Amino acid sequence: MYEGTTPRTAVPRPLRVLPAVLLPLALLGAACSAPGSGAPAAGPGETAVSTSLGTGKVTLQMYAETGFPLAKALADEFTRQHPNVTFKVREDQFTVLVENAPRVLAGDNPPDVIRLPTMVDLVKDGLLKDLDPYADAYGWDTFPAAQLAQLRVDKAGQRGAGPLYGVGLGYSVTGVFYHKDLAKKAGMTRPPATVAEFEDLLARAKRAGVQPIVQFNKNTAGVNFPYQALQNQFTDPAGVNAWIFQKNGATFDTPASLKAARTIEKWAKAGYFTKDANAMDYTTMVGDFTEGRGLFMFNGDWESANLDTKMPGDAGFFLFPGERPGARHVAMSSPNTFGVGARSKHPNEAAFFLNWLHTDPKARRILVDVGGSSPGGPADLPVPQAEQGTLLASTLAASQRLAAENGAVDFTANATGSIFASAITPELQKLIVGQQTPEGYVKAVQKEYEKELSR
Amino acid sequence: MTAPTAPARKAPSTQSPPHPPGAASRTRRRTRWNGWLFVLPALAVYGFFVLRPLLTTFQYSLYHWDGIGPSQWAGLDNYRTVLTDPDLLGIIGHAFVLIVFFSFVPVVLGLLVASLIHRVSTGPLGTAARTVLFLPQVIPLVAAGIAWSWVLSTTGMVNQVLDAVGLGRYSRAWLGEFDTALPAVGIIGAWVMLGLCTILLVTGMSKIDPALFEAARIDGAGAVREFFAVTLPSLRREIGICLTVTIIAALASFDIVYISTSGGPGTATTVPGLEIYRLAFAQRQVGLASALAVVLMLLVLICVLPIQRLSREGK
């Protein structure tokens, strides 16, 4: 250091740091206006709606969920059929995707096709393209109305009605996977026909020294699968959907929700969930189930293809039963939603792709074989059959049955952008270890819901 | 060490100018601004990447904003929420619990281990011990978090050891239970920080004049007495640095918590760093997240500045 060699005291000391203060302030100057005031407007000019793909070379940007090969498989097949269209696929874990989606869609190079997390906030910020013109042009009114209803958002931010903002890459169904060998040990001869029968199986498994349920509950509440499975049976599913779709006056604080919470508490106390459920993540759960460390796993058909490979012939699947024998089946079932960015440079090509995957025979085959889910689309198109006796065949059958009984409910976790992270997950973690009461659980979820809607 | 700077701070009037006054002041002015010219590139980078984000964070904290759409002026609303919301206060509280594990445990253990190593520091044993202790510093925290969550899982090593020695009834999901999760995260942090503290303290000890130890021994001091009379006071600066670094790590912890527990179960291990990230990116409350970030920065300064001052005193 060479301090003191230059007499530099002519300026009072505080003033000497002036440049250090002024420079960043000057830099800040550019960002002085209120945040968000320079938010992007609609897009690079409206493109006229067309159902023609054209012959020019186009690269579609796709933003999809990692760990699920479906989107990539469909993109590859599309390029094979239409070589002028190629895809640039970017993948992220779903939670990362949820967090990134708004900024990516608002950025300079927004994706043309994007896996959508909850969509209300994105619609409010004008980040998604209204697909109604394409629905008209392609005649998507031949799709079962219920298939598209949950992808509609109206001006007030309510789902279920209003313009269409997405379509599904496969329409998933959830239920209960069971391990056949362990089921024998527990004396299970057929899938349970009522909730009471299911509970009886849990008790018998426990007595036989078999872990009844293997369910993750770490970073995202996996126990919400059995919770909502119960909640669906105790009430009219329309009420649950109304809450998810943010209909006026809908509440989570209902006798059905409370009864479901009490049942979960009872199951937890009885040791039906693994002791370390709160420290178990999704991957561990699937791994433990395939290795035979639990009889039941509440999960969705997206795992059927994987389980068919990992434990061929060893696992079965059933829709969660109702309270009375023969009751209509109700299950969480939602599309693997994809939408088009409001500022997409190739909306026509993106919409062409979305229409193609619902109607092209090869695409529908991929949706079944790779995605493990029903392909949806026009009601009169046949559903490709899966190999007899596979788990895939039983989840597909379950999905068709649910559609026939009109028993599909969306996931409560999708009700608002962060209800899952800020209420359902932490409160369910508390509930299963006795740190939260069933009454407290129901009220806490509703309180957070109201807080988020008021923002 | 820096040269004494006092003479330079005297008023120029006390010095006789070698040139006519006008020329002198011009030279002085030029030299003064020349100095800034040298600093300018670094300052520009620092200003753009550190000060500017800091100021924009403060600006955002005064708005209700979802990160994309239009924002609304909030005044001090977000700060009021941070300072009154029981959940957020609890989360800040967790950071202070972690200070015990991230700071005090590594510093105390580090002193102990360092004095042991110092005594054998010349042999290969000392080098080996130092290497082993410093290893956690080279392992990415994310990897450490993953490895520790295996060790602490129900089928992990900790529970296996407990089973093996007949203490199986104490085995549990350490990171998954409400009463053990935060201490378990703390232990991971203590493990990470111990190496850094030990190495710093060993280095500090090697700088102590051996004559001091000799004198103490001649006066009849044993190992303990020697430690409290000679070693500890001489390590004031190093301990200060250890505490500063580890307290900042505790208050700003994110990666270990994110990987090992994601803040759960419930919010038992949620710390401000994690909550800021969640509020900003998952819940899209950029204003509130920024306010919490500003409060966290102030907390870090409040905790660290006195330590800086105390550790310098008497030097």
Short mmCIF file of all heavy atoms in Angstrom, two decimals, chain A residues 190-232:
data_model
loop_
_atom_site.label_atom_id
_atom_site.label_comp_id
_atom_site.label_asym_id
_atom_site.label_seq_id
_atom_site.Cartn_x
_atom_site.Cartn_y
_atom_site.Cartn_z
N ARG A 190 -58.98 -59.34 -4.45
CA ARG A 190 -59.46 -58.48 -5.54
C ARG A 190 -59.36 -57.03 -5.06
O ARG A 190 -59.29 -56.79 -3.84
CB ARG A 190 -60.90 -58.83 -5.88
CG ARG A 190 -61.84 -58.68 -4.69
CD ARG A 190 -63.28 -58.93 -5.04
NE ARG A 190 -64.10 -58.92 -3.82
CZ ARG A 190 -64.54 -57.82 -3.22
NH1 ARG A 190 -64.27 -56.64 -3.71
NH2 ARG A 190 -65.27 -57.91 -2.13
N PRO A 191 -59.33 -56.10 -6.00
CA PRO A 191 -59.27 -54.69 -5.58
C PRO A 191 -60.45 -54.34 -4.68
O PRO A 191 -61.55 -54.87 -4.88
CB PRO A 191 -59.35 -53.93 -6.91
CG PRO A 191 -58.87 -54.89 -7.93
CD PRO A 191 -59.28 -56.24 -7.46
N PRO A 192 -60.22 -53.49 -3.69
CA PRO A 192 -61.30 -53.15 -2.75
C PRO A 192 -62.46 -52.45 -3.44
O PRO A 192 -62.25 -51.67 -4.37
CB PRO A 192 -60.62 -52.22 -1.75
CG PRO A 192 -59.45 -51.67 -2.47
CD PRO A 192 -59.00 -52.73 -3.42
N ALA A 193 -63.69 -52.72 -2.96
CA ALA A 193 -64.88 -52.14 -3.60
C ALA A 193 -65.39 -50.92 -2.84
O ALA A 193 -66.21 -50.16 -3.35
CB ALA A 193 -65.97 -53.18 -3.70
N THR A 194 -64.93 -50.74 -1.60
CA THR A 194 -65.35 -49.56 -0.83
C THR A 194 -64.14 -49.02 -0.05
O THR A 194 -63.13 -49.71 0.10
CB THR A 194 -66.44 -49.93 0.21
OG1 THR A 194 -65.88 -50.88 1.11
CG2 THR A 194 -67.69 -50.49 -0.44
N VAL A 195 -64.31 -47.80 0.47
CA VAL A 195 -63.26 -47.21 1.30
C VAL A 195 -63.02 -48.10 2.52
O VAL A 195 -61.87 -48.34 2.92
CB VAL A 195 -63.65 -45.78 1.75
CG1 VAL A 195 -62.60 -45.20 2.67
CG2 VAL A 195 -63.84 -44.86 0.54
N ALA A 196 -64.09 -48.61 3.09
CA ALA A 196 -63.97 -49.45 4.29
C ALA A 196 -63.16 -50.71 3.97
O ALA A 196 -62.31 -51.12 4.77
CB ALA A 196 -65.35 -49.83 4.81
N GLU A 197 -63.42 -51.31 2.80
CA GLU A 197 -62.65 -52.50 2.41
C GLU A 197 -61.17 -52.16 2.27
O GLU A 197 -60.30 -52.94 2.64
CB GLU A 197 -63.16 -53.04 1.07
CG GLU A 197 -64.12 -54.19 1.21
CD GLU A 197 -64.54 -54.76 -0.15
OE1 GLU A 197 -63.66 -54.97 -1.00
OE2 GLU A 197 -65.75 -54.95 -0.35
N PHE A 198 -60.93 -50.96 1.70
CA PHE A 198 -59.53 -50.53 1.53
C PHE A 198 -58.86 -50.40 2.90
O PHE A 198 -57.73 -50.86 3.10
CB PHE A 198 -59.47 -49.21 0.76
CG PHE A 198 -58.07 -48.73 0.52
CD1 PHE A 198 -57.28 -49.31 -0.46
CD2 PHE A 198 -57.52 -47.70 1.28
CE1 PHE A 198 -55.97 -48.89 -0.67
CE2 PHE A 198 -56.22 -47.27 1.08
CZ PHE A 198 -55.44 -47.87 0.09
N GLU A 199 -59.58 -49.79 3.84
CA GLU A 199 -59.02 -49.61 5.18
C GLU A 199 -58.78 -50.94 5.86
O GLU A 199 -57.80 -51.12 6.60
CB GLU A 199 -59.95 -48.73 6.03
CG GLU A 199 -60.00 -47.30 5.54
CD GLU A 199 -60.61 -46.35 6.57
OE1 GLU A 199 -61.85 -46.25 6.57
OE2 GLU A 199 -59.85 -45.74 7.34
N ASP A 200 -59.67 -51.91 5.58
CA ASP A 200 -59.51 -53.24 6.15
C ASP A 200 -58.21 -53.88 5.62
O ASP A 200 -57.48 -54.51 6.36
CB ASP A 200 -60.74 -54.08 5.77
CG ASP A 200 -60.67 -55.46 6.37
OD1 ASP A 200 -60.39 -55.54 7.59
OD2 ASP A 200 -60.86 -56.46 5.63
N LEU A 201 -57.96 -53.65 4.31
CA LEU A 201 -56.72 -54.19 3.71
C LEU A 201 -55.48 -53.58 4.36
O LEU A 201 -54.48 -54.26 4.57
CB LEU A 201 -56.71 -53.92 2.21
CG LEU A 201 -57.58 -54.83 1.35
CD1 LEU A 201 -57.62 -54.33 -0.08
CD2 LEU A 201 -57.06 -56.26 1.39
N LEU A 202 -55.57 -52.28 4.63
CA LEU A 202 -54.45 -51.60 5.28
C LEU A 202 -54.14 -52.27 6.62
O LEU A 202 -52.99 -52.57 6.94
CB LEU A 202 -54.77 -50.11 5.51
CG LEU A 202 -54.91 -49.22 4.28
CD1 LEU A 202 -55.36 -47.82 4.69
CD2 LEU A 202 -53.57 -49.12 3.54
N ALA A 203 -55.22 -52.52 7.39
CA ALA A 203 -55.05 -53.11 8.71
C ALA A 203 -54.49 -54.53 8.59
O ALA A 203 -53.60 -54.93 9.36
CB ALA A 203 -56.38 -53.13 9.44
N ARG A 204 -54.99 -55.27 7.60
CA ARG A 204 -54.52 -56.65 7.45
C ARG A 204 -53.05 -56.68 7.03
O ARG A 204 -52.29 -57.52 7.49
CB ARG A 204 -55.38 -57.38 6.41
CG ARG A 204 -56.68 -57.90 7.06
CD ARG A 204 -57.27 -59.01 6.24
NE ARG A 204 -58.13 -58.47 5.20
CZ ARG A 204 -58.66 -59.19 4.23
NH1 ARG A 204 -58.41 -60.49 4.15
NH2 ARG A 204 -59.45 -58.64 3.33
N ALA A 205 -52.67 -55.74 6.15
CA ALA A 205 -51.27 -55.67 5.73
C ALA A 205 -50.37 -55.41 6.93
O ALA A 205 -49.35 -56.07 7.14
CB ALA A 205 -51.09 -54.58 4.68
N LYS A 206 -50.80 -54.44 7.75
CA LYS A 206 -50.01 -54.07 8.94
C LYS A 206 -49.82 -55.30 9.84
O LYS A 206 -48.72 -55.55 10.33
CB LYS A 206 -50.75 -52.95 9.69
CG LYS A 206 -49.98 -52.37 10.85
CD LYS A 206 -49.00 -51.33 10.37
CE LYS A 206 -48.06 -50.90 11.48
NZ LYS A 206 -46.91 -50.18 10.98
N ARG A 207 -50.94 -56.03 10.04
CA ARG A 207 -50.86 -57.22 10.90
C ARG A 207 -49.92 -58.28 10.30
O ARG A 207 -49.25 -59.00 11.03
CB ARG A 207 -52.26 -57.81 11.08
CG ARG A 207 -53.07 -57.14 12.19
CD ARG A 207 -54.21 -58.00 12.66
NE ARG A 207 -55.16 -58.32 11.62
CZ ARG A 207 -56.17 -57.54 11.24
NH1 ARG A 207 -56.35 -56.37 11.84
NH2 ARG A 207 -57.00 -57.91 10.28
N ALA A 208 -49.90 -58.35 8.96
CA ALA A 208 -49.07 -59.36 8.30
C ALA A 208 -47.60 -58.92 8.20
O ALA A 208 -46.79 -59.60 7.57
CB ALA A 208 -49.63 -59.66 6.92
N GLY A 209 -47.30 -57.76 8.79
CA GLY A 209 -45.93 -57.27 8.76
C GLY A 209 -45.53 -56.66 7.43
O GLY A 209 -44.36 -56.54 7.10
N VAL A 210 -46.54 -56.25 6.66
CA VAL A 210 -46.27 -55.61 5.37
C VAL A 210 -46.52 -54.11 5.53
O VAL A 210 -47.52 -53.72 6.13
CB VAL A 210 -47.23 -56.17 4.28
CG1 VAL A 210 -47.13 -55.36 3.00
CG2 VAL A 210 -46.93 -57.64 4.02
N GLN A 211 -45.60 -53.29 5.03
CA GLN A 211 -45.81 -51.83 5.06
C GLN A 211 -47.02 -51.50 4.19
O GLN A 211 -46.97 -51.72 2.98
CB GLN A 211 -44.55 -51.12 4.55
CG GLN A 211 -44.68 -49.62 4.39
CD GLN A 211 -45.02 -48.93 5.70
OE1 GLN A 211 -44.45 -49.23 6.73
NE2 GLN A 211 -46.00 -48.03 5.65
N PRO A 212 -48.12 -50.97 4.77
CA PRO A 212 -49.34 -50.80 3.96
C PRO A 212 -49.20 -49.80 2.80
O PRO A 212 -49.56 -50.11 1.69
CB PRO A 212 -50.37 -50.32 4.98
CG PRO A 212 -49.85 -50.76 6.30
CD PRO A 212 -48.36 -50.67 6.19
N ILE A 213 -48.70 -48.58 3.10
CA ILE A 213 -48.61 -47.58 2.04
C ILE A 213 -47.19 -47.05 1.97
O ILE A 213 -46.59 -46.72 3.01
CB ILE A 213 -49.55 -46.38 2.31
CG1 ILE A 213 -51.00 -46.84 2.45
CG2 ILE A 213 -49.46 -45.34 1.19
CD1 ILE A 213 -51.96 -45.76 2.91
N VAL A 214 -46.65 -46.95 0.78
CA VAL A 214 -45.39 -46.23 0.63
C VAL A 214 -45.72 -44.95 -0.14
O VAL A 214 -46.27 -44.99 -1.24
CB VAL A 214 -44.30 -47.11 -0.04
CG1 VAL A 214 -44.79 -47.77 -1.31
CG2 VAL A 214 -43.06 -46.30 -0.35
N GLN A 215 -45.51 -43.81 0.51
CA GLN A 215 -45.93 -42.54 -0.08
C GLN A 215 -44.93 -41.46 0.28
O GLN A 215 -44.60 -41.28 1.45
CB GLN A 215 -47.32 -42.16 0.45
CG GLN A 215 -48.05 -41.13 -0.39
CD GLN A 215 -48.51 -41.71 -1.74
OE1 GLN A 215 -48.79 -42.89 -1.85
NE2 GLN A 215 -48.55 -40.87 -2.76
N PHE A 216 -44.46 -40.72 -0.72
CA PHE A 216 -43.50 -39.64 -0.43
C PHE A 216 -44.25 -38.44 0.14
O PHE A 216 -45.46 -38.29 -0.06
CB PHE A 216 -42.77 -39.23 -1.71
CG PHE A 216 -43.59 -38.40 -2.67
CD1 PHE A 216 -43.34 -37.04 -2.83
CD2 PHE A 216 -44.60 -38.96 -3.42
CE1 PHE A 216 -44.08 -36.27 -3.72
CE2 PHE A 216 -45.34 -38.20 -4.31
CZ PHE A 216 -45.08 -36.85 -4.46
N ASN A 217 -43.54 -37.62 0.90
CA ASN A 217 -44.18 -36.41 1.43
C ASN A 217 -43.14 -35.34 1.73
O ASN A 217 -43.35 -34.48 2.56
CB ASN A 217 -44.97 -36.75 2.70
CG ASN A 217 -46.11 -35.78 2.94
OD1 ASN A 217 -46.76 -35.34 2.00
ND2 ASN A 217 -46.35 -35.42 4.19
N LYS A 218 -41.98 -35.42 1.00
CA LYS A 218 -40.90 -34.51 1.36
C LYS A 218 -41.10 -33.11 0.77
O LYS A 218 -41.75 -32.28 1.38
CB LYS A 218 -39.57 -35.09 0.92
CG LYS A 218 -38.38 -34.28 1.40
CD LYS A 218 -37.08 -34.82 0.80
CE LYS A 218 -35.92 -33.89 1.04
NZ LYS A 218 -34.70 -34.38 0.40
N ASN A 219 -40.56 -32.89 -0.42
CA ASN A 219 -40.59 -31.51 -0.93
C ASN A 219 -41.95 -31.10 -1.49
O ASN A 219 -42.30 -29.94 -1.51
CB ASN A 219 -39.49 -31.27 -1.95
CG ASN A 219 -39.07 -32.55 -2.65
OD1 ASN A 219 -39.76 -33.57 -2.52
ND2 ASN A 219 -38.00 -32.51 -3.36
N THR A 220 -42.71 -32.09 -2.01
CA THR A 220 -44.09 -31.80 -2.41
C THR A 220 -44.94 -32.89 -1.78
O THR A 220 -44.55 -34.04 -1.76
CB THR A 220 -44.23 -31.84 -3.94
OG1 THR A 220 -43.57 -33.01 -4.42
CG2 THR A 220 -43.63 -30.63 -4.60
N ALA A 221 -46.11 -32.50 -1.29
CA ALA A 221 -46.88 -33.44 -0.47
C ALA A 221 -47.47 -34.57 -1.29
O ALA A 221 -48.48 -34.42 -1.96
CB ALA A 221 -47.98 -32.68 0.26
N GLY A 222 -46.83 -35.76 -1.20
CA GLY A 222 -47.36 -36.93 -1.88
C GLY A 222 -48.58 -37.48 -1.17
O GLY A 222 -49.41 -38.18 -1.76
N VAL A 223 -48.69 -37.18 0.14
CA VAL A 223 -49.84 -37.65 0.90
C VAL A 223 -51.12 -36.94 0.42
O VAL A 223 -52.23 -37.36 0.72
CB VAL A 223 -49.60 -37.48 2.42
CG1 VAL A 223 -50.83 -37.75 3.24
CG2 VAL A 223 -48.47 -38.42 2.87
N ASN A 224 -50.95 -35.90 -0.39
CA ASN A 224 -52.13 -35.26 -0.95
C ASN A 224 -52.85 -36.19 -1.95
O ASN A 224 -54.03 -36.01 -2.21
CB ASN A 224 -51.78 -33.93 -1.63
CG ASN A 224 -53.00 -33.05 -1.82
OD1 ASN A 224 -53.84 -32.97 -0.91
ND2 ASN A 224 -53.15 -32.43 -2.97
N PHE A 225 -52.14 -37.17 -2.49
CA PHE A 225 -52.80 -38.15 -3.37
C PHE A 225 -53.86 -38.94 -2.59
O PHE A 225 -55.03 -38.91 -2.95
CB PHE A 225 -51.79 -39.11 -4.00
CG PHE A 225 -51.07 -38.57 -5.21
CD1 PHE A 225 -49.79 -38.06 -5.11
CD2 PHE A 225 -51.67 -38.61 -6.46
CE1 PHE A 225 -49.12 -37.58 -6.22
CE2 PHE A 225 -50.99 -38.13 -7.58
CZ PHE A 225 -49.72 -37.60 -7.45
N PRO A 226 -53.46 -39.67 -1.51
CA PRO A 226 -54.50 -40.37 -0.74
C PRO A 226 -55.50 -39.39 -0.13
O PRO A 226 -56.69 -39.71 -0.05
CB PRO A 226 -53.72 -41.11 0.34
CG PRO A 226 -52.35 -40.57 0.33
CD PRO A 226 -52.11 -40.00 -1.02
N TYR A 227 -55.01 -38.20 0.29
CA TYR A 227 -55.93 -37.24 0.90
C TYR A 227 -57.04 -36.87 -0.07
O TYR A 227 -58.23 -36.96 0.25
CB TYR A 227 -55.19 -35.97 1.35
CG TYR A 227 -56.15 -34.95 1.92
CD1 TYR A 227 -56.58 -35.05 3.24
CD2 TYR A 227 -56.69 -33.95 1.12
CE1 TYR A 227 -57.50 -34.17 3.75
CE2 TYR A 227 -57.62 -33.06 1.62
CZ TYR A 227 -58.02 -33.18 2.93
OH TYR A 227 -58.96 -32.31 3.43
N GLN A 228 -56.66 -36.49 -1.29
CA GLN A 228 -57.71 -36.07 -2.22
C GLN A 228 -58.52 -37.26 -2.72
O GLN A 228 -59.71 -37.13 -3.03
CB GLN A 228 -57.14 -35.29 -3.41
CG GLN A 228 -58.21 -34.38 -4.02
CD GLN A 228 -57.81 -33.76 -5.35
OE1 GLN A 228 -56.64 -33.55 -5.62
NE2 GLN A 228 -58.81 -33.45 -6.16
N ALA A 229 -57.88 -38.44 -2.78
CA ALA A 229 -58.64 -39.64 -3.16
C ALA A 229 -59.81 -39.83 -2.20
O ALA A 229 -60.93 -40.13 -2.61
CB ALA A 229 -57.73 -40.85 -3.15
N LEU A 230 -59.55 -39.61 -0.91
CA LEU A 230 -60.61 -39.73 0.10
C LEU A 230 -61.61 -38.60 -0.04
O LEU A 230 -62.83 -38.82 -0.07
CB LEU A 230 -59.99 -39.71 1.50
CG LEU A 230 -59.21 -40.96 1.91
CD1 LEU A 230 -58.28 -40.65 3.08
CD2 LEU A 230 -60.17 -42.08 2.29
N GLN A 231 -61.10 -37.39 -0.12
CA GLN A 231 -61.95 -36.19 -0.22
C GLN A 231 -62.93 -36.33 -1.40
O GLN A 231 -64.10 -36.00 -1.29
CB GLN A 231 -61.03 -34.99 -0.42
CG GLN A 231 -61.69 -33.64 -0.41
CD GLN A 231 -60.67 -32.55 -0.80
OE1 GLN A 231 -59.65 -32.85 -1.44
NE2 GLN A 231 -60.94 -31.33 -0.41
N ASN A 232 -62.43 -36.87 -2.53
CA ASN A 232 -63.28 -37.04 -3.72
C ASN A 232 -64.48 -37.96 -3.45
O ASN A 232 -65.54 -37.79 -4.05
CB ASN A 232 -62.48 -37.67 -4.86
CG ASN A 232 -61.41 -36.75 -5.39
OD1 ASN A 232 -61.49 -35.53 -5.23
ND2 ASN A 232 -60.38 -37.32 -6.00
#
